[in-house]
Amino acid sequence: MKRPLKTTMLFFTTLILIFAFNVSTSHANVQEDEYLLEQEKQEKIFQEIIESVPNGTYSGNDITTNALDPSSYNPQAGDILYTPSTQCNDDNRETCKGITGHVGIVNPSTGTVTHIQAPGYLPKSISLNSWFTKYPKTVVVRHKNSTKASNAAKWAYDYYIWGDGAEKTYKVTIDQDLTKTLSLNTTYCSLIVWQAYYYGAGQKLSLNIPVMPVLFVNYAPYHDMYVLMKIGY
């Protein structure tokens, strides 16, 4: 009699595990669908916002010589660079899922940008010339407080280029408490910018989980920031 009992218990245990897995998978699919809908909504808002944003240029020459021309981008530490120029710009939802768009933060030297490109990459500091070559369409978001912006830029550069975050790999994580993500061995582009302002400038940016790159543009007024210009449009 013991054998059939064990077999029955094993059968029901298997059923429970299958049910739990299906519920978990279903919940994950619902989360993904909700996120994609929210992303589409935010991208529509973004399109409306940039219609009134002034056009700017980046010549790729000595950045200090561009200050006299109001339309030329004269970078400042802490500037957030948002671009839709990624592998997801064809808006094909069957092949392009997850976070679309990309962001980086201008370093204190104003000559480089801290960012992490995609899965398989580590955090990196690239020149502005490289950024605009790779991402021809870019929207510049600037903080009204230059001290906070500079502190955020310094934190991102110190931590992700020379510090403990230099070896972190790319992976989008979902955690309601973004402060906990600093202890992970992974990061993603918009998380770097969020952490830079939180740990470097003491400012908690109220953005969705995970952080959508486009929200730095859409929510700029709520964070004492403004959209300076759009380049390459």
Side-chain angles (χ1 to χ4, degrees), residues 82-219:
Y82 167 78
T83 176
S85 302
T86 66
Q87 67 273 21
C88 294
N89 62 359
D90 61 356
D91 202 31
N92 185 341
R93 295 301 176 190
E94 293 304 314
T95 59
C96 173
K97 294 184 178 181
I99 291 183
T100 60
H102 182 57
V103 288
I105 183 169
V106 177
N107 293 326
S109 64
T110 70
T112 56
V113 182
T114 296
H115 81 137
I116 186 167
Q117 186 172 330
Y121 289 84
L122 298 175
K124 190 176 182 182
S125 178
I126 63 173
S127 69
L128 282 164
N129 288 347
S130 296
W131 176 277
F132 285 109
T133 298
K134 189 170 185 62
Y135 310 115
K137 283 187 176 182
T138 292
V139 178
V140 182
V141 176
R142 179 166 290 175
H143 202 289
K144 294 178 181 178
N145 187 317
S146 60
T147 301
K148 280 190 173 183
S150 182
N151 289 340
K154 184 178 186 303
W155 185 93
Y157 187 74
D158 289 347
Y159 182 78
Y160 275 107
I161 303 305
W162 296 108
D164 294 339
E167 297 301 317
K168 290 194 175 188
T169 56
Y170 185 103
K171 181 183 178 183
V172 177
T173 54
I174 300 177
D175 195 314
Q176 295 299 321
D177 185 358
L178 284 173
T179 61
K180 293 180 180 178
T181 56
L182 192 66
S183 63
L184 300 178
N185 293 323
T186 61
T187 189
Y188 55 98
C189 67
S190 42
L191 182 60
I192 288 178
V193 178
W194 188 94
Q195 290 173 335
Y197 272 92
Y198 181 80
Y199 292 105
Q203 182 172 353
K204 187 175 183 177
L205 305 183
S206 54
L207 302 176
N208 289 16
I209 310 298
V211 181
M212 296 180 189
V214 72
L215 293 183
F216 290 105
V217 177
N218 293 3
Y219 289 7

Side-chain angles (χ1 to χ4, degrees), residues 5-19:
L5 180 60
K6 286 185 177 180
T7 303
T8 303
M9 289 180 65
L10 180 62
F11 173 75
F12 280 112
T13 302
T14 303
L15 282 180
I16 291 170
L17 289 173
I18 292 173
F19 176 77

Side-chain angles (χ1 to χ4, degrees), residues 33-44:
D33 290 342
E34 289 177 350
Y35 183 82
L36 289 176
L37 287 173
E38 178 65 18
Q39 187 164 258
E40 289 177 358
K41 172 187 170 184
Q42 292 299 333
E43 286 171 356
K44 288 178 181 177

